[in-house]
Amino acid sequence: MQGKRNVIKRHQYADYLNVGTGETPEYVLMGAGFTTLDEEPGAQSESVKYVNEASASSSVVGYETTFPFEAEQIMEEKAIDALYTVGRNHYIGSDAEFEYVRVELWNKSTTAEGGFEARRFIVSAEISSLSGENKMTMSGNLNAVGDPVLGTFNTSTKTFTPAAAE
């Protein structure tokens, strides 16, 4: 007899986009309207084969993480509106960047009351399609800029706390 398997389901991830302006963050849930929001870590590797070895060895040397998404354009959803504005207005550079937090709702923090393990990314919003007949949809990628910051996210207060530096 096999043991119980607790497979993590998509709804056990919560994705938040900071749509705040200025110094005060305003993290909004990327839920209603988003039909897909995936993660592609994009591991980059290098191989080397030394003259005295029959096989090459590979090492991971970096990541090029993207978060492909598709969403229906629901006007009341602040995250969708913020991403739509980037594509509509052809924003580039830092004008097209956001803080994005991916929260693991199955993974409660052992150090932060009411928090869950999370990663905060700076992402550039690449809006590749605005289309539709009956319903307007939008698709693109959130492309990671630099490395993620590990920490915790409180879903009640919508605050991210970076992990303590070691």
Side-chain angles (χ1 to χ4, degrees):
M1 179 176 193
Q2 293 185 356
K4 186 176 178 179
R5 293 186 178 129
N6 292 317
V7 177
I8 296 167
K9 296 175 179 62
R10 177 60 182 93
H11 72 271
Q12 291 175 291
Y13 281 97
D15 301 274
Y16 289 85
L17 193 69
N18 180 2
V19 298
T21 56
E23 297 297 314
T24 307
E26 182 186 352
Y27 287 103
V28 294
L29 181 65
M30 299 170 78
F34 286 88
T35 55
T36 61
L37 181 50
D38 298 326
E39 180 175 356
E40 296 176 0
Q44 307 292 304
S45 62
E46 248 178 35
S47 294
V48 63
K49 181 177 173 252
Y50 298 110
V51 295
N52 65 325
E53 296 176 335
S55 300
S57 298
S58 294
S59 293
V60 174
V61 295
Y63 289 88
E64 193 173 330
T65 304
T66 61
F67 300 92
F69 70 89
E70 290 184 10
E72 295 177 345
Q73 285 186 252
I74 298 174
M75 289 185 289
E76 297 81 9
E77 293 297 319
K78 288 184 176 183
I80 291 171
D81 187 54
L83 295 173
Y84 168 73
T85 300
V86 168
R88 181 192 70 199
N89 295 353
H90 293 204
Y91 289 159
I92 60 171
S94 62
D95 291 337
E97 292 179 354
F98 296 90
E99 288 182 346
Y100 165 69
V101 177
R102 182 155 256 217
V103 183
E104 300 169 353
L105 297 175
W106 74 92
N107 197 358
K108 288 186 178 178
S109 171
T110 57
T111 59
E113 184 70 30
F116 297 91
E117 295 296 320
R119 294 168 293 148
R120 181 180 63 198
F121 296 84
I122 300 299
V123 294
S124 63
E126 169 196 336
I127 311 305
S128 55
S129 175
L130 300 168
S131 62
E133 287 185 32
N134 295 327
K135 291 190 258 187
M136 287 301 293
T137 61
M138 165 177 61
S139 64
N141 293 305
L142 301 177
N143 300 309
V145 177
D147 295 325
V149 174
L150 304 179
T152 58
F153 190 82
N154 184 312
T155 56
S156 297
T157 62
K158 294 187 174 86
T159 54
F160 178 83
T161 304
E166 295 184 32

